[in-house]
Amino acid sequence: MQEKIFDCVILGGGPAGLSAALYLRRANLNCAIVDKSALGGTPTNYCEIENYLGFGKVSGFELCEKFEEHVDNFDVQKYPYEEIESADLISPVKKIQTKENVFLARTVIIATGAKPKKLNIKGESENIGKGVSYCAVCDGAFYKDKTVCVIGGGNSALEEALYLTKFAKKVYIVHRRNKFRADEIIQKRVFENEKIELLLEYIPVEIIASNKVEKISLQNVQTSKIKDYKTDGVFPYIGLEPNVELFSGQIEEDKNGFILTDSAMKTNIDGVYAVGDVRNTPLRQVITAVSDGAIAAVEVSKYLMDIKEAVRN
Ligand code: NAP
């Protein structure tokens, strides 16, 4: 096990973390990115991104690959596939521990992102991999000429439902209200797609399976009546919850657990910043994550300069 000291350790290698690394290296600061998986973050699982300026339409994987290639030109120290076991953020020198390394850092940028929220209904967790999936890009091809059911009314649900129509013969979108919150342009595409059937004002109550998913039970929110629909797959896209377990008790969060920051990405702890989906941002998109990373890195630079100045005086 090695102990290393950095100007900044970035926790999470998605777009926000990678962008922070680029800006830190350009300020000549030494930094490390630690991620429990490969770098690239959640967008690597997005079928298509068409609102990242300058790229037209691009797959999430391709865009994130380009981000990493760009950062590689600046000699960032990368530690993928290292699960963080503990994080002491309070001390002036922060300490991040993985199985393989101990990272000491003058500053930390938290870019750990968010994970899909669970429906928490019977048959959900038992059938992950047997018909329940949170990643249409990873699993969509298994549903050629089959019926699938997407849950949710946001951008993720509608975009991934459209993606699934490339394979499935029928795609239900189940939503608890009669209005979607997804962008209008995506809604229009959904309304025009003949493979998609909308089941509005329904909530899922059970996923029924023997060896694999066979049906989903839906309850009508107006009548409370329950009806079963045959489906081969269920794709819940009902929002995100932040990856903050490691920092609990140290950092201030909003009522949903997202880390509270100011507009400079500062948290309540000196020298600790949060960027991207993990913070209480009004917009969770690649373009805002990248911008958060840049802002935080510039703040880190100022913070370290102030400390040096204070030591000198
Ligand atoms: P979201 O925007 O929070 O939408 C979650 C959806 O799930 C809502 O329609 C919500 O219904 C529904 N829902 C929540 N809890 C539920 C429950 N227990 N049972 C049934 N339905 C439930 O989440 P998201 O679509 O995952 O997107 C997350 C963020 O990423 C958003 O900020 C989104 O804009 C962004 N995103 C952007 C893009 C893009 O720009 N291309 C793509 C994907 C995601 P209500 O509407 O009734 O609340």
Side-chain angles (χ1 to χ4, degrees):
M1 187 177 290
Q2 299 175 41
E3 213 170 62
K4 306 170 191 210
I5 184 147
F6 292 91
D7 290 321
C8 183
V9 170
I10 302 163
L11 310 181
L18 288 168
S19 154
L22 170 66
Y23 274 71
L24 288 168
R25 288 299 298 135
R26 279 178 46 84
N28 212 18
L29 296 171
N30 75 343
C31 66
I33 302 187
V34 187
D35 197 304
K36 66 175 182 189
S37 325
L39 303 193
T42 315
T44 53
N45 294 329
Y46 291 170
C47 50
E48 213 165 61
I49 295 175
E50 63 172 20
N51 53 4
Y52 191 79
L53 197 65
F55 276 77
K57 265 189 196 169
V58 61
S59 82
F61 186 83
E62 199 186 329
L63 184 62
C64 294
E65 211 174 38
K66 285 202 186 309
F67 288 165
E68 193 177 345
E69 277 168 22
H70 190 164
V71 165
D72 282 344
N73 294 333
F74 292 85
D75 196 23
V76 172
Q77 298 197 41
K78 303 189 294 186
Y79 297 85
Y81 303 108
E82 281 203 31
E83 180 124 27
I84 299 160
E85 293 185 328
S86 66
D88 167 16
L89 302 178
I90 306 288
S91 315
V93 175
K94 326 294 176 196
K95 189 173 180 179
I96 311 295
Q97 193 143 2
T98 67
K99 257 203 190 83
E100 296 81 4
N101 289 295
V102 176
F103 298 88
L104 300 176
R106 293 176 185 93
T107 63
V108 167
I109 296 179
I110 301 173
T112 46
K115 54 183 165 294
K117 263 198 329 207
K118 298 268 176 2
L119 291 162
N120 289 325
I121 59 170
K122 197 172 164 211
E124 184 186 23
S125 43
E126 305 89 295
N127 290 301
I128 294 173
K130 292 188 236 163
V132 175
S133 168
Y134 304 88
C135 179
V137 172
C138 321
D139 297 329
F142 297 126
Y143 294 90
K144 193 162 176 356
D145 298 326
K146 299 200 168 169
T147 298
V148 295
C149 185
V150 174
I151 322 288
N155 276 322
S156 300
L158 271 61
E159 285 183 2
E160 302 307 317
L162 284 165
Y163 177 75
L164 286 165
T165 61
K166 291 185 184 178
F167 311 99
K169 66 171 188 248
K170 183 171 191 82
V171 177
Y172 291 116
I173 298 181
V174 177
H175 182 38
R176 63 185 178 183
R177 292 187 297 133
N178 62 8
K179 276 214 171 76
F180 292 117
R181 62 171 67 217
D183 295 347
E184 294 290 333
I185 191 167
I186 304 298
Q187 292 193 37
K188 187 165 179 285
R189 283 177 205 160
V190 161
F191 299 147
E192 286 168 359
N193 193 306
E194 286 177 357
K195 283 191 176 177
I196 295 180
E197 182 176 336
L198 305 179
L199 298 172
L200 301 180
E201 302 194 289
Y202 280 100
I203 47 166
V205 287
E206 185 178 345
I207 296 167
I208 300 161
S210 47
N211 284 332
K212 54 186 179 57
V213 168
E214 288 168 358
K215 286 185 214 161
I216 184 161
S217 293
L218 303 179
Q219 182 169 41
N220 186 289
V221 295
Q222 301 287 353
T223 63
S224 297
K225 278 197 181 140
I226 292 178
K227 190 173 166 188
D228 290 351
Y229 285 82
K230 278 192 178 171
T231 187
D232 301 294
V234 176
F235 288 81
Y237 280 104
I238 61 163
L240 302 169
E241 55 186 328
N243 293 317
V244 287
E245 296 76 7
L246 282 163
F247 324 116
S248 290
Q250 301 183 62
I251 210 148
E252 271 176 26
E253 297 164 6
D254 73 7
K255 66 178 184 351
N256 297 314
F258 291 96
I259 297 174
L260 286 170
T261 66
D262 65 10
S263 57
M265 310 302 143
K266 287 183 194 163
T267 69
N268 61 306
I269 308 171
D270 257 4
V272 178
Y273 304 78
V275 293
D277 285 0
V278 74
R279 78 175 188 97
N280 63 329
T281 172
L283 190 61
R284 292 198 166 80
Q285 308 212 336
V286 178
I287 204 156
T288 48
V290 161
S291 148
D292 282 5
I295 293 170
V298 171
E299 288 302 316
V300 163
S301 189
K302 282 189 208 157
Y303 173 84
L304 292 174
M305 224 132 52
D306 287 349
I307 291 181
K308 260 194 206 150
E309 203 63 32
V311 171
R312 243 185 251 133
N313 295 330

